[in-house]
Amino acid sequence: MQNYVLFTDTDTDITPEIAKEYGYHLISMPYSIDGKTIYPYEDFEVFDYKPYYDMLRGGVLPTTSAIGEERYKNYFEPVLAAGQDILYLHFSRAMSATFEAMDRAIDELLKKYPERKIQTLDLKSATTLSLLMIHEAGALYKAGKTADEILAWAEKEVDHFAMYMFVDDLKFFKRSGRVSGLAATMGTMLGIRPMIHISSEGKLVNIGKIKGRTKALEQLVNYVEELGDDLENHRLIVGNSDACDMIDELVEMLRERFGDQIQIETAMVNPTLGAHCGPDGIGVAFHAIHR
């Protein structure tokens, strides 16, 4: 039996079912609505995405906040006290100040448990791109790989997973300030979809714009064709924030371009990051030559 426990957080789009499959412990990243703070998969068991995203369409703008040092300690300490080490695969440090609290918590815990190890891995991503790596690292864990072996895999592979996406309404991204180079004009007013990707620094970056939904979907497929690497041996994940009317269309485009042998899955963007991207967003995550 391995003497370490895998952790990840809900901003990676992981669900309790996927966590159970691989053995991940979950850290819940909260969001707030009307002054009430909600912790995914602690305050509810299943993300009921349709009413959530409909609420956003209706004008509700949830906020998000970093979790504190004590909450990290509450997650980590029982594992350390039980005599096990920790490997935490987390969403991009460049996207949140929460990791400053995590660093302080780890420093304090290692003073209390000097014989234990807490290792962290910055996936330099979030949402569906993180989920793709969560699957692959989880498979290594199930195969009996050590924490150091998973970290060695990550050092080589993290920059070889890419994600490209677009959203129908930019007001959520504009309000959160999470995307660099984002034009001031709302895309929906002109039918323009800004194309966004997650950079090698773990940041959301606007890299261009496409007019029309079908052309934007075609451009996502073009990115996979241009940058995809060893696609037959890695799953592709189509992530969306309740863009259900586009999922089948994008999956069909991917199959037409790359064949039925490609493993394609779909995932729903978690509510915390959904508060930043808003509804009707879609993207594809895949193994790539580079990000």
Side-chain angles (χ1 to χ4, degrees):
M1 180 180 176
Q2 293 149 300
N3 195 39
Y4 73 102
V5 170
L6 275 184
F7 275 81
T8 192
D9 51 69
T10 56
D11 276 358
T12 65
D13 284 352
I14 195 169
T15 63
E17 292 76 19
I18 296 171
K20 184 177 180 181
E21 177 184 354
Y22 296 117
Y24 283 101
H25 288 213
L26 291 185
I27 293 176
S28 184
M29 295 296 172
Y31 60 97
S32 299
I33 297 174
D34 294 331
K36 180 182 178 182
T37 300
I38 303 164
Y39 289 88
Y41 304 123
E42 293 181 7
D43 292 333
F44 57 79
E45 295 182 3
V46 176
F47 175 32
D48 194 1
Y49 66 87
K50 187 66 177 175
Y52 176 80
Y53 283 114
D54 280 346
M55 180 174 58
L56 270 58
R57 290 184 183 98
V60 173
L61 296 175
T63 59
T64 63
S65 58
I67 64 174
E69 182 179 338
E70 287 304 312
R71 196 166 180 89
Y72 278 109
K73 289 180 181 179
N74 291 338
Y75 285 119
F76 292 151
E77 186 161 16
V79 174
L80 303 176
Q84 292 183 291
D85 297 329
I86 289 169
L87 174 59
Y88 174 26
L89 285 64
H90 60 76
F91 79 101
S92 177
R93 183 179 280 267
M95 293 185 188
S96 176
T98 192
F99 299 108
E100 296 172 10
M102 179 194 75
D103 291 341
R104 294 192 298 272
I106 290 174
D107 287 344
E108 290 299 314
L109 288 169
L110 291 180
K111 291 174 184 177
K112 188 174 180 179
Y113 301 93
E115 72 285 1
R116 299 268 57 88
K117 292 172 68 175
I118 304 176
Q119 294 170 287
T120 62
L121 168 57
D122 185 352
L123 297 172
K124 297 195 292 184
S125 60
T127 187
T128 308
L129 180 54
S130 295
L131 181 61
L132 192 55
M133 289 180 273
I134 287 297
H135 275 292
E136 299 220 2
L140 294 174
Y141 181 75
K142 284 184 69 174
K145 300 299 184 182
T146 66
D148 287 338
E149 286 174 322
I150 292 178
L151 289 169
W153 165 85
E155 184 175 357
K156 176 184 175 183
E157 287 291 325
V158 163
D159 286 331
H160 289 282
F161 291 92
M163 183 172 184
Y164 290 79
M165 70 198 88
F166 65 85
V167 295
D168 264 5
D169 192 332
L170 297 179
K171 70 181 179 183
F172 297 91
F173 270 141
K174 289 198 300 182
R175 182 191 56 131
S176 71
R178 289 299 200 279
V179 179
S180 61
L182 193 60
T185 304
M186 279 196 195
T188 46
M189 296 174 66
L190 302 172
I192 292 172
R193 272 77 176 180
M195 306 305 292
I196 297 166
H197 89 129
I198 302 179
S199 71
S200 57
E201 291 78 33
K203 297 179 180 180
L204 292 162
V205 180
N206 178 24
I207 55 171
K209 56 187 179 182
I210 303 289
K211 189 167 185 178
R213 190 180 83 170
T214 298
K215 288 184 178 180
L217 290 171
E218 289 173 349
Q219 184 58 47
L220 293 180
V221 179
N222 291 339
Y223 285 129
V224 179
E225 184 170 51
E226 177 185 350
L227 294 174
D229 176 60
D230 195 20
L231 297 178
E232 296 81 4
N233 293 309
H234 300 271
R235 56 170 54 85
L236 284 76
I237 304 182
V238 172
N240 76 103
S241 53
D242 194 27
C244 297
D245 58 330
M246 290 188 278
I247 295 172
D248 290 345
E249 188 174 356
L250 180 54
V251 169
E252 183 178 352
M253 287 179 174
L254 290 165
R255 292 206 182 280
E256 286 179 354
R257 189 79 63 95
F258 304 109
D260 290 335
Q261 74 275 12
I262 300 297
Q263 180 184 352
I264 303 175
E265 300 176 5
T266 62
M268 188 62 58
V269 173
N270 68 82
T272 309
L273 287 183
H276 294 288
C277 72
D280 305 307
I282 193 165
V284 59
F286 56 97
H287 192 261
I289 299 168
H290 59 76
R291 289 204 182 184

